[in-house]
Amino acid sequence: MSLLSTVDRTTLIQVVRTMFPHASCPDGPYERTADEVIAAAEQSPRSLAQLCQGLADLNVLRDVPFAELDPQTALTVLRGVQDTPFFGVILGTAVVKFYDDHEVWELLGYEGASFGQGGYLNRGFDDLDWLPNPAVEFEEGAA
């Protein structure tokens, strides 16, 4: 059971979605990341207070609650608080948790650690199909 309200959790989920916007990403990774941020904050009274106050503040900075803002306005609001301890409480946990979620790995095409499979040299280091081929030019005698 969390000390945060359902509204706070919903706001936090939207904060995480705004911080890490991936249009095709389902709700699950964002929800799990928010829950991890809450659990981490609950380990420190100061972090929990900063999180609770920051979420409350986000909901009164505009005419509508943060979770109802359009993505561009939400991003503008977050940029306005990015140097606050509140933002740091979220970012410190969220960046690791979100991108360590296997559902996100699958979405982004990350196959996980390669060491146990012989490394990347002969197994997919160049299999990115979403990047253009670089124009590689070599100068004669440059070494």
Side-chain angles (χ1 to χ4, degrees):
M1 174 171 234
S2 173
L3 299 175
L4 270 70
S5 70
T6 303
V7 170
D8 289 338
R9 183 175 180 269
T10 300
T11 301
L12 181 56
I13 291 167
Q14 191 59 37
V15 167
V16 174
R17 185 177 292 281
T18 302
M19 291 171 82
F20 309 108
H22 296 281
S24 60
C25 189
D27 293 337
Y30 294 108
E31 292 169 353
R32 289 188 292 274
T33 299
D35 291 341
E36 190 71 24
V37 168
I38 293 167
E42 288 177 342
Q43 300 304 307
S44 162
R46 175 178 289 204
S47 294
L48 182 60
Q50 290 169 336
L51 181 62
C52 290
Q53 185 63 55
L55 292 171
D57 291 348
L58 284 182
N59 282 324
V60 297
L61 289 175
R62 294 291 192 268
D63 293 336
V64 298
F66 184 85
E68 296 175 21
L69 295 174
D70 63 89
Q72 189 57 45
T73 303
L75 181 59
T76 300
V77 169
L78 283 187
R79 284 185 176 149
V81 300
Q82 70 184 355
D83 294 326
T84 65
F86 156 71
F87 191 84
V89 166
I90 297 171
L91 183 61
T93 299
V95 71
V96 174
K97 176 61 180 167
F98 184 78
Y99 288 110
D100 195 35
D101 190 296
H102 288 244
E103 196 170 355
V104 174
W105 288 9
E106 190 173 314
L107 171 78
L108 298 178
Y110 177 59
E111 298 171 0
S114 181
F115 179 77
Q117 300 173 36
Y120 287 112
L121 183 58
N122 297 314
R123 194 185 110 348
F125 82 95
D126 62 350
D127 67 354
L128 294 177
D129 57 2
W130 51 273
L131 288 177
N133 288 328
V136 178
E137 297 178 15
F138 296 99
E139 287 187 32
E140 202 61 41

